[in-house]
Amino acid sequence: QVQLIESGGGLVQVGGSLRLSCAASGRTFDSSSMGWFRQAPGKEREFVAAVTWGGSNIFYAHYADSVKGRFTILKDNNKNTQYLQMNNLKPEDTAVYYCAAAQGNPSTSGVYSTREYDYWGQGTQVTVSS
């Protein structure tokens, strides 16, 4: 049974930083995509960042425009874990953050869609106070 366990959420002030972790168990995701989505109250779940596999040791990072330059996604295949380093946080970053993993690699256009991901974590709350 595949499980994705997130950790690292919390309350932080504007401009602060948090690092989210997502540990996977039950299978490895060395050559498939993992990503992060978030959902604010009353809004749909939205794409934040993802890593896709480009063959051999090549990986590509994808980011939502709203987090480019502030967030960094990292994938450690040795630990079967991915991370989301979030810097310069803003109140609009407040949401429940979900770890996601795919059985394969979504297309470049598909990486942004929740439908391309097969496994989901339970979510971790991130609150940015002003």
Side-chain angles (χ1 to χ4, degrees), residues 9-127:
L11 175 65
V12 65
Q13 291 188 333
V14 169
S17 298
L18 281 175
R19 190 188 199 203
L20 305 183
S21 300
C22 172
S25 62
R27 63 157 284 177
T28 60
F29 295 94
D30 294 9
S31 57
S32 52
S33 179
M34 295 186 76
W36 293 92
F37 287 74
R38 67 187 181 187
Q39 188 166 17
K43 294 188 177 181
E44 292 188 354
R45 192 170 297 189
E46 66 173 8
F47 171 80
V48 176
V51 172
T52 55
W53 184 60
S56 187
N57 290 320
I58 299 172
F59 297 89
Y60 299 101
H62 309 264
Y63 296 97
D65 288 342
S66 59
V67 306
K68 275 181 185 175
R70 300 188 298 121
F71 291 12
T72 302
I73 186 170
L74 301 167
K75 189 166 173 275
D76 187 337
N77 287 335
N78 291 328
K79 295 182 179 180
N80 212 23
T81 299
Q82 70 163 349
Y83 306 92
L84 186 68
Q85 178 66 44
M86 306 186 293
N87 298 329
N88 191 20
L89 283 160
K90 303 176 180 181
E92 51 264 42
D93 295 318
T94 295
V96 177
Y97 283 70
Y98 295 91
C99 173
Q103 291 184 347
N105 268 287
S107 63
T108 300
S109 59
V111 71
Y112 306 100
S113 172
T114 58
R115 294 188 296 271
E116 295 292 329
Y117 296 85
D118 304 285
Y119 308 103
W120 293 87
Q122 81 284 357
T124 185
Q125 176 70 46
V126 171
T127 303

